[in-house]
Amino acid sequence: MIKADVTEFRLFSQLDGTIIAPTDSKPWGKGILQWLEFTKLKGITVQGKGIIDGRGSGWWLEAPYEDPYDDERKLIIPLNNTVQERPPMPALRFYGSFNVTVTGITIQNSPQCHLKFDNCIGVVVHDMSVSSPGDSPNTDGIHLQNSKDVLIHGTTLA
């Protein structure tokens, strides 16, 4: 997993190539919840013409929900008194961040959902593409959890 955890930082990430996931989750062990993660950032932009390829089919065969998760779910204050039994495994996740922009990129074949915003405020997603084959176990394109002030436009979900 690639992880950034910084506060009070303005970050522009330009993605014009292809980031390809490993063929399985063994390098990280059990309980992986995301592949690429940005945590507690203020003013992050991920942009470009590049591709994030999650190689989901290899992950789907592993039945990841048979493994225990870490205790992250205990930290979430659920909306409407609901808690997800099987939280989505995003390829790209933003957690606890403010003023997040994602534009231009393509995310494909994610292990579960493709793009997740969790406990974020001020999110803009535009002019990007998300796709998975119809036989994937979960084709959530963009998953919003405990986030507000979100604007999504000009985005293709397939």
Side-chain angles (χ1 to χ4, degrees):
M1 170 177 50
I2 297 171
K3 191 171 188 174
D5 187 358
V6 181
T7 57
E8 300 293 334
F9 186 71
R10 184 75 179 160
L11 176 67
F12 289 92
S13 179
Q14 184 73 29
L15 174 59
D16 288 324
T18 302
I19 299 175
I20 301 173
T23 55
D24 62 43
S25 63
K26 288 182 181 111
W28 295 290
K30 296 181 179 184
I32 186 169
L33 294 175
Q34 57 275 326
W35 178 40
L36 303 170
E37 179 181 75
F38 293 94
T39 301
K40 298 178 184 174
L41 294 172
K42 291 184 179 181
I44 179 169
T45 298
V46 175
Q47 64 186 13
K49 303 287 185 204
I51 298 170
I52 297 174
D53 186 342
R55 285 189 177 175
S57 60
W59 297 68
W60 303 328
L61 299 175
E62 291 184 16
Y65 293 123
E66 301 301 320
D67 295 330
Y69 286 100
D70 62 13
D71 290 334
E72 178 186 34
R73 287 184 286 166
K74 293 179 182 176
L75 301 174
I76 296 172
I77 300 170
L79 298 174
N80 302 323
N81 296 320
T82 61
V83 176
Q84 288 180 288
E85 290 298 318
R86 296 179 173 184
M89 292 173 43
L92 177 58
R93 177 187 186 217
F94 295 89
Y95 176 80
S97 295
F98 299 89
N99 299 326
V100 178
T101 301
V102 179
T103 182
I105 66 171
T106 296
I107 304 175
Q108 63 190 27
N109 303 319
S110 180
Q112 285 279 320
C113 72
H114 292 72
L115 179 58
K116 181 178 181 183
F117 298 96
D118 189 356
N119 289 311
C120 292
I121 299 173
V123 173
V124 178
V125 177
H126 65 93
D127 303 312
M128 66 166 292
S129 176
V130 172
S131 65
S132 276
D135 63 347
S136 66
N138 182 342
T139 55
D140 286 2
I142 301 172
H143 190 87
L144 305 173
Q145 183 171 322
N146 296 322
S147 294
K148 65 181 184 177
D149 300 330
V150 177
L151 175 62
I152 300 170
H153 64 93
T155 297
T156 302
L157 303 174

CSV table of all heavy atoms in Angstrom, one decimal, residues 26-71:
chain,number,residue,atom,x,y,z
A,26,LYS,N,-0.8,-10.7,-1.0
A,26,LYS,CA,0.2,-11.3,0.0
A,26,LYS,C,1.3,-10.3,0.5
A,26,LYS,O,1.7,-10.4,1.6
A,26,LYS,CB,0.8,-12.5,-0.7
A,26,LYS,CG,-0.2,-13.7,-0.8
A,26,LYS,CD,0.4,-14.9,-1.4
A,26,LYS,CE,-0.7,-16.0,-1.4
A,26,LYS,NZ,-1.1,-16.3,-2.8
A,27,PRO,N,1.8,-9.4,-0.4
A,27,PRO,CA,2.8,-8.5,0.2
A,27,PRO,C,2.3,-7.7,1.4
A,27,PRO,O,3.1,-7.3,2.2
A,27,PRO,CB,3.1,-7.6,-1.0
A,27,PRO,CG,2.8,-8.3,-2.2
A,27,PRO,CD,1.6,-9.2,-1.8
A,28,TRP,N,1.0,-7.4,1.5
A,28,TRP,CA,0.5,-6.6,2.6
A,28,TRP,C,-0.1,-7.5,3.8
A,28,TRP,O,-0.4,-7.0,4.8
A,28,TRP,CB,-0.5,-5.7,2.2
A,28,TRP,CG,0.0,-4.7,1.3
A,28,TRP,CD1,0.9,-3.7,1.6
A,28,TRP,CD2,-0.2,-4.5,-0.1
A,28,TRP,NE1,1.2,-2.9,0.5
A,28,TRP,CE2,0.6,-3.4,-0.6
A,28,TRP,CE3,-0.9,-5.3,-1.1
A,28,TRP,CZ2,0.6,-3.0,-1.9
A,28,TRP,CZ3,-0.9,-4.8,-2.4
A,28,TRP,CH2,-0.1,-3.8,-2.8
A,29,GLY,N,-0.3,-8.7,3.5
A,29,GLY,CA,-0.9,-9.6,4.5
A,29,GLY,C,-2.4,-9.5,4.5
A,29,GLY,O,-3.1,-8.9,3.7
A,30,LYS,N,-3.1,-10.0,5.6
A,30,LYS,CA,-4.5,-10.0,5.7
A,30,LYS,C,-5.0,-8.6,6.2
A,30,LYS,O,-4.4,-7.9,6.9
A,30,LYS,CB,-5.0,-11.1,6.7
A,30,LYS,CG,-4.6,-12.5,6.2
A,30,LYS,CD,-5.1,-13.5,7.2
A,30,LYS,CE,-4.7,-14.9,6.6
A,30,LYS,NZ,-5.2,-15.9,7.5
A,31,GLY,N,-6.3,-8.4,5.8
A,31,GLY,CA,-6.9,-7.2,6.3
A,31,GLY,C,-6.7,-5.9,5.5
A,31,GLY,O,-7.1,-4.8,5.9
A,32,ILE,N,-6.2,-6.0,4.3
A,32,ILE,CA,-6.0,-4.8,3.5
A,32,ILE,C,-7.3,-4.2,3.1
A,32,ILE,O,-8.3,-4.8,2.7
A,32,ILE,CB,-5.2,-5.1,2.2
A,32,ILE,CG1,-4.9,-3.8,1.5
A,32,ILE,CG2,-5.9,-6.0,1.3
A,32,ILE,CD1,-3.9,-3.9,0.3
A,33,LEU,N,-7.4,-2.8,3.3
A,33,LEU,CA,-8.7,-2.2,3.0
A,33,LEU,C,-8.6,-1.2,1.8
A,33,LEU,O,-9.5,-0.8,1.3
A,33,LEU,CB,-9.1,-1.4,4.2
A,33,LEU,CG,-9.5,-2.2,5.4
A,33,LEU,CD1,-9.9,-1.3,6.6
A,33,LEU,CD2,-10.7,-3.1,5.1
A,34,GLN,N,-7.4,-0.9,1.4
A,34,GLN,CA,-7.2,0.0,0.2
A,34,GLN,C,-5.8,-0.2,-0.3
A,34,GLN,O,-4.9,-0.7,0.3
A,34,GLN,CB,-7.4,1.5,0.5
A,34,GLN,CG,-6.5,2.0,1.7
A,34,GLN,CD,-7.1,1.7,3.0
A,34,GLN,OE1,-8.3,1.7,3.2
A,34,GLN,NE2,-6.2,1.4,4.0
A,35,TRP,N,-5.6,0.2,-1.6
A,35,TRP,CA,-4.3,0.1,-2.2
A,35,TRP,C,-3.5,1.4,-2.1
A,35,TRP,O,-2.4,1.4,-1.6
A,35,TRP,CB,-4.5,-0.4,-3.6
A,35,TRP,CG,-3.3,-0.6,-4.4
A,35,TRP,CD1,-2.1,-1.1,-4.0
A,35,TRP,CD2,-3.1,-0.2,-5.8
A,35,TRP,NE1,-1.2,-1.1,-5.0
A,35,TRP,CE2,-1.8,-0.6,-6.1
A,35,TRP,CE3,-4.0,0.3,-6.7
A,35,TRP,CZ2,-1.3,-0.4,-7.4
A,35,TRP,CZ3,-3.5,0.5,-8.0
A,35,TRP,CH2,-2.2,0.2,-8.3
A,36,LEU,N,-4.1,2.5,-2.7
A,36,LEU,CA,-3.4,3.8,-2.6
A,36,LEU,C,-4.2,4.6,-1.6
A,36,LEU,O,-5.4,4.8,-1.8
A,36,LEU,CB,-3.4,4.4,-4.0
A,36,LEU,CG,-2.7,3.6,-5.1
A,36,LEU,CD1,-3.0,4.3,-6.4
A,36,LEU,CD2,-1.2,3.5,-4.8
A,37,GLU,N,-3.6,5.2,-0.7
A,37,GLU,CA,-4.3,6.0,0.3
A,37,GLU,C,-3.6,7.3,0.6
A,37,GLU,O,-2.4,7.4,0.8
A,37,GLU,CB,-4.4,5.2,1.6
A,37,GLU,CG,-5.1,5.9,2.7
A,37,GLU,CD,-5.2,5.1,4.0
A,37,GLU,OE1,-4.1,5.0,4.7
A,37,GLU,OE2,-6.2,4.6,4.3
A,38,PHE,N,-4.5,8.4,0.7
A,38,PHE,CA,-4.0,9.7,1.2
A,38,PHE,C,-4.8,10.0,2.4
A,38,PHE,O,-6.0,10.0,2.4
A,38,PHE,CB,-4.2,10.7,0.1
A,38,PHE,CG,-3.4,10.5,-1.1
A,38,PHE,CD1,-3.9,9.8,-2.2
A,38,PHE,CD2,-2.1,11.0,-1.2
A,38,PHE,CE1,-3.1,9.6,-3.4
A,38,PHE,CE2,-1.3,10.8,-2.3
A,38,PHE,CZ,-1.9,10.1,-3.4
A,39,THR,N,-4.1,10.4,3.5
A,39,THR,CA,-4.7,10.6,4.8
A,39,THR,C,-4.4,11.9,5.4
A,39,THR,O,-3.3,12.4,5.4
A,39,THR,CB,-4.2,9.5,5.8
A,39,THR,OG1,-4.6,8.2,5.3
A,39,THR,CG2,-4.9,9.6,7.2
A,40,LYS,N,-5.5,12.6,5.9
A,40,LYS,CA,-5.4,13.9,6.6
A,40,LYS,C,-4.6,14.9,5.9
A,40,LYS,O,-3.7,15.6,6.4
A,40,LYS,CB,-4.8,13.6,8.0
A,40,LYS,CG,-5.6,12.7,8.9
A,40,LYS,CD,-4.9,12.4,10.2
A,40,LYS,CE,-5.7,11.4,11.0
A,40,LYS,NZ,-5.1,11.0,12.2
A,41,LEU,N,-5.0,15.2,4.6
A,41,LEU,CA,-4.4,16.2,3.8
A,41,LEU,C,-5.3,17.4,3.7
A,41,LEU,O,-6.5,17.2,3.6
A,41,LEU,CB,-4.0,15.7,2.5
A,41,LEU,CG,-2.9,14.6,2.5
A,41,LEU,CD1,-2.7,14.0,1.1
A,41,LEU,CD2,-1.6,15.2,3.0
A,42,LYS,N,-4.8,18.6,3.5
A,42,LYS,CA,-5.5,19.8,3.2
A,42,LYS,C,-5.1,20.2,1.8
A,42,LYS,O,-3.9,20.6,1.6
A,42,LYS,CB,-5.3,20.8,4.2
A,42,LYS,CG,-5.9,20.5,5.6
A,42,LYS,CD,-5.8,21.7,6.5
A,42,LYS,CE,-6.4,21.3,7.8
A,42,LYS,NZ,-6.3,22.4,8.8
A,43,GLY,N,-6.0,20.2,0.8
A,43,GLY,CA,-5.7,20.7,-0.5
A,43,GLY,C,-4.9,19.8,-1.3
A,43,GLY,O,-3.8,20.1,-1.7
A,44,ILE,N,-5.4,18.6,-1.6
A,44,ILE,CA,-4.7,17.6,-2.5
A,44,ILE,C,-5.4,17.5,-3.8
A,44,ILE,O,-6.7,17.5,-3.9
A,44,ILE,CB,-4.6,16.2,-1.8
A,44,ILE,CG1,-3.9,15.3,-2.8
A,44,ILE,CG2,-5.9,15.7,-1.4
A,44,ILE,CD1,-3.4,14.0,-2.2
A,45,THR,N,-4.7,17.5,-4.9
A,45,THR,CA,-5.2,17.3,-6.2
A,45,THR,C,-4.5,16.2,-6.9
A,45,THR,O,-3.2,16.1,-6.9
A,45,THR,CB,-5.0,18.6,-7.1
A,45,THR,OG1,-5.7,19.7,-6.5
A,45,THR,CG2,-5.5,18.4,-8.5
A,46,VAL,N,-5.2,15.2,-7.4
A,46,VAL,CA,-4.7,14.1,-8.2
A,46,VAL,C,-5.3,14.3,-9.6
A,46,VAL,O,-6.5,14.4,-9.8
A,46,VAL,CB,-5.1,12.7,-7.7
A,46,VAL,CG1,-4.6,11.6,-8.6
A,46,VAL,CG2,-4.5,12.5,-6.3
A,47,GLN,N,-4.4,14.5,-10.6
A,47,GLN,CA,-4.8,14.9,-11.9
A,47,GLN,C,-3.9,14.3,-12.9
A,47,GLN,O,-2.9,13.8,-12.6
A,47,GLN,CB,-4.8,16.4,-12.1
A,47,GLN,CG,-3.4,17.0,-12.0
A,47,GLN,CD,-3.3,18.5,-12.0
A,47,GLN,OE1,-4.3,19.2,-11.8
A,47,GLN,NE2,-2.1,19.1,-12.2
A,48,GLY,N,-4.4,14.3,-14.2
A,48,GLY,CA,-3.6,13.8,-15.3
A,48,GLY,C,-4.4,12.9,-16.2
A,48,GLY,O,-5.6,12.8,-16.1
A,49,LYS,N,-3.7,12.3,-17.2
A,49,LYS,CA,-4.4,11.4,-18.2
A,49,LYS,C,-4.0,10.0,-17.9
A,49,LYS,O,-4.3,9.1,-18.7
A,49,LYS,CB,-3.9,11.8,-19.6
A,49,LYS,CG,-4.1,13.2,-19.9
A,49,LYS,CD,-5.6,13.5,-20.2
A,49,LYS,CE,-5.7,14.9,-20.8
A,49,LYS,NZ,-7.0,15.4,-20.5
A,50,GLY,N,-3.5,9.7,-16.7
A,50,GLY,CA,-3.0,8.3,-16.4
A,50,GLY,C,-4.1,7.4,-15.9
A,50,GLY,O,-5.2,7.7,-15.8
A,51,ILE,N,-3.6,6.1,-15.7
A,51,ILE,CA,-4.5,5.0,-15.4
A,51,ILE,C,-4.0,4.4,-14.1
A,51,ILE,O,-2.9,4.1,-13.9
A,51,ILE,CB,-4.5,4.0,-16.5
A,51,ILE,CG1,-5.0,4.6,-17.8
A,51,ILE,CG2,-5.3,2.7,-16.1
A,51,ILE,CD1,-4.8,3.7,-19.0
A,52,ILE,N,-5.0,4.1,-13.2
A,52,ILE,CA,-4.8,3.2,-12.0
A,52,ILE,C,-5.5,1.9,-12.3
A,52,ILE,O,-6.7,1.9,-12.4
A,52,ILE,CB,-5.3,3.9,-10.7
A,52,ILE,CG1,-4.5,5.2,-10.4
A,52,ILE,CG2,-5.2,2.9,-9.6
A,52,ILE,CD1,-5.1,5.9,-9.2
A,53,ASP,N,-4.7,0.9,-12.5
A,53,ASP,CA,-5.3,-0.5,-12.8
A,53,ASP,C,-5.2,-1.4,-11.6
A,53,ASP,O,-4.1,-1.8,-11.3
A,53,ASP,CB,-4.6,-1.1,-14.0
A,53,ASP,CG,-5.2,-2.4,-14.5
A,53,ASP,OD1,-6.0,-3.0,-13.8
A,53,ASP,OD2,-4.9,-2.8,-15.7
A,54,GLY,N,-6.3,-1.7,-11.0
A,54,GLY,CA,-6.3,-2.5,-9.8
A,54,GLY,C,-6.2,-4.0,-10.0
A,54,GLY,O,-6.1,-4.7,-9.0
A,55,ARG,N,-6.1,-4.4,-11.2
A,55,ARG,CA,-6.0,-5.9,-11.5
A,55,ARG,C,-7.0,-6.7,-10.7
A,55,ARG,O,-6.6,-7.7,-10.0
A,55,ARG,CB,-4.6,-6.4,-11.3
A,55,ARG,CG,-3.6,-6.0,-12.3
A,55,ARG,CD,-2.3,-6.7,-12.1
A,55,ARG,NE,-1.3,-6.5,-13.1
A,55,ARG,CZ,-0.1,-6.9,-13.0
A,55,ARG,NH1,0.3,-7.7,-12.0
A,55,ARG,NH2,0.7,-6.7,-14.0
A,56,GLY,N,-8.2,-6.2,-10.6
A,56,GLY,CA,-9.2,-6.8,-9.7
A,56,GLY,C,-9.5,-8.2,-9.8
A,56,GLY,O,-9.7,-8.9,-8.8
A,57,SER,N,-9.4,-8.8,-11.0
A,57,SER,CA,-9.8,-10.2,-11.1
A,57,SER,C,-8.9,-11.1,-10.3
A,57,SER,O,-9.4,-12.1,-9.7
A,57,SER,CB,-9.7,-10.7,-12.6
A,57,SER,OG,-8.4,-10.5,-13.1
A,58,GLY,N,-7.7,-10.8,-10.1
A,58,GLY,CA,-6.8,-11.6,-9.2
A,58,GLY,C,-7.2,-11.5,-7.7
A,58,GLY,O,-7.1,-12.5,-7.0
A,59,TRP,N,-7.7,-10.4,-7.3
A,59,TRP,CA,-8.1,-10.2,-6.0
A,59,TRP,C,-9.5,-10.8,-5.7
A,59,TRP,O,-9.8,-11.3,-4.6
A,59,TRP,CB,-8.2,-8.7,-5.7
A,59,TRP,CG,-6.9,-8.0,-5.8
A,59,TRP,CD1,-6.1,-7.8,-6.9
A,59,TRP,CD2,-6.2,-7.4,-4.7
A,59,TRP,NE1,-5.0,-7.1,-6.6
A,59,TRP,CE2,-5.0,-6.8,-5.2
A,59,TRP,CE3,-6.4,-7.3,-3.3
A,59,TRP,CZ2,-4.1,-6.2,-4.4
A,59,TRP,CZ3,-5.4,-6.7,-2.5
A,59,TRP,CH2,-4.3,-6.1,-3.1
A,60,TRP,N,-10.4,-10.8,-6.7
A,60,TRP,CA,-11.7,-11.3,-6.6
A,60,TRP,C,-11.7,-12.8,-6.2
A,60,TRP,O,-12.5,-13.3,-5.5
A,60,TRP,CB,-12.6,-11.1,-7.8
A,60,TRP,CG,-12.7,-9.6,-8.2
A,60,TRP,CD1,-12.7,-8.6,-7.4
A,60,TRP,CD2,-12.8,-9.1,-9.5
A,60,TRP,NE1,-12.7,-7.4,-8.1
A,60,TRP,CE2,-12.8,-7.7,-9.4
A,60,TRP,CE3,-12.8,-9.7,-10.8
A,60,TRP,CZ2,-12.9,-6.9,-10.5
A,60,TRP,CZ3,-13.0,-8.9,-11.9
A,60,TRP,CH2,-13.0,-7.5,-11.8
A,61,LEU,N,-10.7,-13.5,-6.8
A,61,LEU,CA,-10.6,-14.9,-6.6
A,61,LEU,C,-10.2,-15.3,-5.2
A,61,LEU,O,-10.4,-16.4,-4.7
A,61,LEU,CB,-9.6,-15.5,-7.6
A,61,LEU,CG,-10.0,-15.4,-9.1
A,61,LEU,CD1,-8.8,-15.9,-9.9
A,61,LEU,CD2,-11.3,-16.1,-9.4
A,62,GLU,N,-9.6,-14.3,-4.5
A,62,GLU,CA,-9.1,-14.6,-3.1
A,62,GLU,C,-10.2,-14.5,-2.0
A,62,GLU,O,-9.9,-14.8,-0.9
A,62,GLU,CB,-8.0,-13.6,-2.7
A,62,GLU,CG,-6.7,-13.8,-3.5
A,62,GLU,CD,-5.6,-12.8,-3.1
A,62,GLU,OE1,-5.8,-12.2,-2.0
A,62,GLU,OE2,-4.7,-12.6,-3.8
A,63,ALA,N,-11.4,-14.1,-2.4
A,63,ALA,CA,-12.5,-14.0,-1.4
A,63,ALA,C,-12.0,-13.2,-0.2
A,63,ALA,O,-11.9,-13.7,0.9
A,63,ALA,CB,-13.0,-15.3,-1.0
A,64,PRO,N,-11.6,-11.9,-0.4
A,64,PRO,CA,-11.0,-11.1,0.7
A,64,PRO,C,-11.9,-11.0,1.9
A,64,PRO,O,-11.3,-10.7,3.0
A,64,PRO,CB,-10.7,-9.8,0.0
A,64,PRO,CG,-11.7,-9.7,-1.1
A,64,PRO,CD,-11.9,-11.1,-1.6
A,65,TYR,N,-13.2,-11.2,1.8
A,65,TYR,CA,-14.0,-11.0,3.0
A,65,TYR,C,-14.0,-12.1,4.0
A,65,TYR,O,-14.7,-12.1,5.0
A,65,TYR,CB,-15.4,-10.6,2.6
A,65,TYR,CG,-15.4,-9.3,1.9
A,65,TYR,CD1,-15.9,-9.1,0.6
A,65,TYR,CD2,-14.9,-8.1,2.6
A,65,TYR,CE1,-15.9,-7.9,0.0
A,65,TYR,CE2,-14.9,-6.9,2.0
A,65,TYR,CZ,-15.4,-6.8,0.7
A,65,TYR,OH,-15.4,-5.6,0.1
A,66,GLU,N,-13.3,-13.2,3.6
A,66,GLU,CA,-13.1,-14.3,4.6
A,66,GLU,C,-12.1,-13.9,5.6
A,66,GLU,O,-12.0,-14.6,6.7
A,66,GLU,CB,-12.7,-15.6,3.8
A,66,GLU,CG,-13.7,-16.0,2.8
A,66,GLU,CD,-15.1,-16.2,3.3
A,66,GLU,OE1,-15.2,-16.8,4.4
A,66,GLU,OE2,-16.1,-15.8,2.7
A,67,ASP,N,-11.2,-12.9,5.4
A,67,ASP,CA,-10.2,-12.5,6.3
A,67,ASP,C,-10.7,-11.5,7.3
A,67,ASP,O,-11.5,-10.6,6.9
A,67,ASP,CB,-9.0,-12.0,5.5
A,67,ASP,CG,-8.3,-13.0,4.7
A,67,ASP,OD1,-8.4,-14.2,5.0
A,67,ASP,OD2,-7.8,-12.6,3.6
A,68,PRO,N,-10.2,-11.4,8.5
A,68,PRO,CA,-10.6,-10.4,9.4
A,68,PRO,C,-10.0,-9.0,9.0
A,68,PRO,O,-9.0,-8.9,8.5
A,68,PRO,CB,-10.0,-10.9,10.8
A,68,PRO,CG,-8.8,-11.7,10.4
A,68,PRO,CD,-9.2,-12.4,9.1
A,69,TYR,N,-10.8,-8.0,9.4
A,69,TYR,CA,-10.3,-6.6,9.1
A,69,TYR,C,-9.7,-6.0,10.4
A,69,TYR,O,-10.0,-6.5,11.5
A,69,TYR,CB,-11.5,-5.7,8.7
A,69,TYR,CG,-11.9,-6.0,7.3
A,69,TYR,CD1,-13.0,-6.8,7.0
A,69,TYR,CD2,-11.2,-5.5,6.2
A,69,TYR,CE1,-13.5,-7.1,5.8
A,69,TYR,CE2,-11.7,-5.8,4.9
A,69,TYR,CZ,-12.8,-6.6,4.7
A,69,TYR,OH,-13.1,-6.9,3.4
A,70,ASP,N,-9.0,-5.0,10.2
A,70,ASP,CA,-8.5,-4.3,11.4
A,70,ASP,C,-9.7,-3.6,12.1
A,70,ASP,O,-10.9,-3.7,11.6
A,70,ASP,CB,-7.4,-3.3,11.1
A,70,ASP,CG,-7.9,-2.2,10.1
A,70,ASP,OD1,-9.1,-2.0,9.9
A,70,ASP,OD2,-7.0,-1.5,9.6
A,71,ASP,N,-9.5,-2.9,13.1
A,71,ASP,CA,-10.7,-2.3,13.9
A,71,ASP,C,-11.1,-0.9,13.4
A,71,ASP,O,-11.7,-0.2,14.1
A,71,ASP,CB,-10.3,-2.2,15.4
A,71,ASP,CG,-10.2,-3.6,16.0
A,71,ASP,OD1,-10.9,-4.5,15.5
A,71,ASP,OD2,-9.5,-3.7,17.0
